[in-house]
Amino acid sequence: MSRRIPWVEKYRPRRLSEVVNQEEAKKALLDWINDWEKGKPSKKAVMLVGPPGTGKTTLAYALANERGYEVLELNASDVRTGERIRQVMGGSMKMGSLFGFKGRIILFDEVDGLNVREDRGGLAAIVELIRESTWPIIMTANNPWDPKFRELRDEAEVIQLKPLDEDDILTILRRICNAEGIKCEEDALKLIAESSGGDVRAAINDLQAAAEGKKVLTKDDVTVTERAHQFDMFKILDKVFHARRFEEARSVTFLPSFDWESYYPWALDNIPSVYAKSVEAVSEALDNLSLSDVVRGRIMKTQEWELMPYMLELMTAGVALVRNKPALARFVRLTFPERIRLLAKTKEIRQMRDALINRLRTELHVSSSEVSLYYMPLLRLMATSDAFKKKLLERLMKIMGYSLESVEKTLGIEEVSAGGEGEGTKRGSTKRSRG
Ligand SMILES: Nc1ncnc2c1ncn2[C@@H]1O[C@H](COP(=O)(O)OP(=O)(O)OP(=O)(O)O)[C@@H](O)[C@H]1O
């Protein structure tokens, strides 16, 4: 009955190309190590930041493996005693080659796990380590936005990883099922992926628990634990709405499960109903939330990550501490954000549309935005004209391998003809009657 190798380790990608959907992070990481190798890194360290189980540690190891570095992992107590540091820092880049390595990469996993209050010395030691290091340093963190980590963040290039979506996780799960020779029903994998809340480690663990030793995995075999990304979000919002003090509201941002990208639409959709009794409160909370989005935009554009605490405070304390806040019931009713629901519903069509745009972009040698702006409306128009419709739809079906219905949906011609005549009228009106 004993578990053999955990699948999270067995199937941990060894090469960067196997790490799913973190292309921008990979590129930034490669640029950084290339600069190191040329002897002119802009920062001696990088900090890989992202939600749990999205590939931070994996990227560090894959990079080291691919570029021939030995990984030396350090933790908080190593830093405090200082001894291991001296050991690690001794020697030069050339020394590693004795053992067949090009050099060393120092990995400091989960730096935000340091208890900054009790471990002030530890933090200062890491900063010093970075300044003096002759080796590239990689740190990982889920949530390093506490102002106390500022000095550390300043020493590093912050590389943000994306939260993974269900499709990414399905890709990884299918790969494992194939490698294990297990016939996994798609529904079973979907259930696991859905409940993982974007955490690949959680999904792989659930898969192993349900499938190990089986030849076939069905939906009935899957008893996913209440991983409850959504449940967490309910708890987080509940805490924010009930908070009476600044620190209380802001404290949610230190939870490992806090993911600001998902939090935003949740807050946006729930503020009007939770504060419904006070227009002033709704307006102020939405104002602060939108300001947080302005700050987010600035961070993304200028990479000024030190603005992050302001963004987090505006989206939490800014929502909690508003004038004329109405008295709230002990349990507020929260709803699932419409935007996320809608995005999930239209995902397939959006993907097909993106694929078509991409194809046209390469054929026509123009940018994607030009295709969306000029060529897609033209195609849509042609697809509703008797002179071109048949030929155009047939060509697109052939080129893209879509069904007729998919081509129509991709071009959005239901919407166009909804206002006009023909078969679209019927479909369009059914759609509208919902609203
Ligand atoms: N993008 C990815 N592509 C392929 N596999 C992944 C990816 N992200 C995570 N995994 C798998 O999930 C496991 C956990 O990933 P990893 O340890 O890199 O997560 P992490 O982001 O460092 O999480 P934490 O912050 O909890 O330490 C890995 O063993 C790997 O098998």
Side-chain angles (χ1 to χ4, degrees):
M1 278 298 283
S2 70
R3 282 254 198 112
R4 288 173 292 272
I5 316 170
W7 286 358
V8 276
E9 289 312 324
K10 190 168 170 190
Y11 296 106
R12 190 188 282 279
R14 308 280 177 246
R15 306 194 63 79
L16 289 172
S17 59
E18 296 164 22
V19 177
V20 173
N21 206 2
Q22 297 294 2
E23 303 315 312
E24 281 169 32
K26 283 185 220 174
K27 182 173 178 310
L29 199 56
L30 280 170
D31 287 347
W32 169 76
I33 202 76
N34 287 339
D35 287 347
W36 247 108
E37 290 178 358
K38 286 182 207 145
K40 45 170 190 183
S42 52
K43 296 271 168 100
K44 285 189 174 175
V46 286
M47 189 186 276
L48 299 176
V49 176
T54 47
K56 299 182 291 295
T57 315
T58 303
L59 272 183
Y61 274 95
L63 176 77
N65 181 40
E66 211 161 299
R67 289 300 186 93
Y69 288 91
E70 173 189 24
V71 177
L72 286 173
E73 261 199 66
L74 289 181
N75 59 38
S77 69
D78 294 331
V79 174
R80 245 175 283 128
T81 57
E83 193 162 315
R84 181 150 158 76
I85 303 250
R86 276 189 290 280
Q87 214 183 347
V88 168
M89 301 303 289
S92 67
M93 279 294 240
K94 291 195 191 91
M95 230 185 82
S97 61
L98 281 179
F99 305 99
F101 290 111
K102 186 192 279 174
R104 292 166 173 172
I105 283 182
I106 297 172
L107 174 63
F108 208 115
D109 229 353
E110 299 179 13
V111 267
D112 51 338
L114 266 180
N115 185 333
V116 207
R117 200 168 295 156
E118 290 167 14
D119 224 338
R120 266 221 131 352
L123 206 59
I126 305 178
V127 171
E128 199 181 326
L129 165 76
I130 296 175
R131 289 188 184 144
E132 288 177 9
S133 180
T134 44
W135 311 106
I137 296 180
I138 300 182
M139 297 179 276
T140 74
N142 291 320
N143 184 4
W145 309 117
D146 187 315
K148 290 166 199 140
F149 290 116
R150 187 185 161 163
E151 210 186 343
L152 195 58
R153 284 199 313 267
D154 285 350
E155 289 298 326
E157 182 182 330
V158 175
I159 300 179
Q160 181 84 39
L161 273 77
K162 289 200 303 192
L164 295 182
D165 67 20
E166 250 174 74
D167 280 348
D168 301 327
I169 297 185
L170 276 174
T171 308
I172 295 167
L173 296 180
R174 280 191 209 112
R175 231 187 242 171
I176 297 179
C177 289
N178 282 340
E180 288 288 318
I182 303 169
K183 203 166 161 299
C184 296
E185 273 182 8
E186 197 63 11
D187 276 356
L189 297 187
K190 276 197 175 136
L191 184 60
I192 295 175
E194 257 167 37
S195 63
S196 69
D199 181 340
V200 186
R201 182 186 296 106
I204 298 179
N205 282 336
D206 281 343
L207 178 68
Q208 183 169 12
E212 194 170 31
K214 295 203 172 73
K215 286 203 163 44
V216 180
L217 177 77
T218 67
K219 199 174 173 187
D220 292 341
D221 297 321
V222 180
T223 44
V224 281
T225 43
E226 182 63 3
R227 185 94 44 211
H229 185 59
Q230 291 177 24
F231 175 67
D232 280 346
M233 198 54 86
F234 279 111
K235 274 205 300 199
I236 286 170
L237 276 182
D238 191 73
K239 183 149 190 184
V240 168
F241 283 123
H242 281 103
R244 287 168 181 280
R245 288 179 302 112
F246 180 90
E247 291 76 22
E248 211 182 323
R250 195 190 51 174
S251 68
V252 298
T253 64
F254 304 134
L255 295 171
S257 55
F258 184 79
D259 158 20
W260 52 270
E261 283 181 316
S262 322
Y263 170 89
Y264 187 90
W266 277 85
L268 185 66
D269 267 34
N270 282 289
I271 289 169
S273 56
V274 174
Y275 289 163
K277 287 189 190 141
S278 162
V279 180
E280 244 184 314
V282 172
S283 151
E284 199 174 324
L286 288 178
D287 249 6
N288 287 337
L289 191 67
S290 69
L291 269 179
S292 80
D293 196 44
V294 173
V295 179
R296 186 199 59 81
R298 168 125 186 221
I299 296 173
M300 293 306 154
K301 206 162 154 201
T302 60
Q303 294 289 299
E304 289 175 82
W305 291 96
E306 56 273 32
L307 296 178
M308 197 79 176
Y310 299 108
M311 182 196 93
L312 295 175
E313 284 159 15
L314 277 165
M315 68 191 338
T316 52
V319 168
L321 308 180
V322 286
R323 269 164 292 181
N324 285 338
K325 182 169 167 174
L328 301 181
R330 190 144 170 257
F331 298 104
V332 289
R333 232 180 102 78
L334 298 167
T335 52
F336 194 87
E338 196 53 32
R339 190 167 94 190
I340 297 183
R341 205 192 298 277
L342 203 70
L343 283 176
K345 248 197 219 162
T346 56
K347 188 168 178 190
E348 202 186 332
I349 302 170
R350 282 185 290 119
Q351 280 175 343
M352 289 193 297
R353 198 168 292 183
D354 286 350
L356 176 60
I357 290 176
N358 205 20
R359 180 72 191 258
L360 292 173
R361 182 180 65 82
T362 33
E363 299 281 339
L364 299 168
H365 303 287
V366 292
S367 68
S368 306
S369 51
E370 268 178 280
V371 174
S372 316
L373 212 59
Y374 305 118
Y375 292 89
M376 291 298 277
L378 188 64
L379 288 183
R380 204 173 302 149
L381 216 62
M382 287 168 74
T384 49
S385 120
D386 286 342
F388 300 110
K389 181 172 180 168
K390 188 165 179 289
K391 205 163 171 197
L392 176 75
L393 293 184
E394 276 171 5
R395 286 289 313 261
L396 287 178
M397 281 162 65
K398 197 163 163 214
I399 294 171
M400 300 303 295
Y402 296 166
S403 67
L404 177 62
E405 199 191 348
S406 302
V407 171
E408 285 182 337
K409 279 187 181 164
T410 307
L411 291 178
I413 56 176
E414 290 159 302
E415 295 146 38
V416 168
S417 42
E421 67 283 340
E423 55 154 3
T425 316
K426 210 168 79 208
R427 279 193 219 152
S429 53
T430 339
K431 219 195 239 168
R432 286 210 178 131
S433 64
R434 208 187 136 247

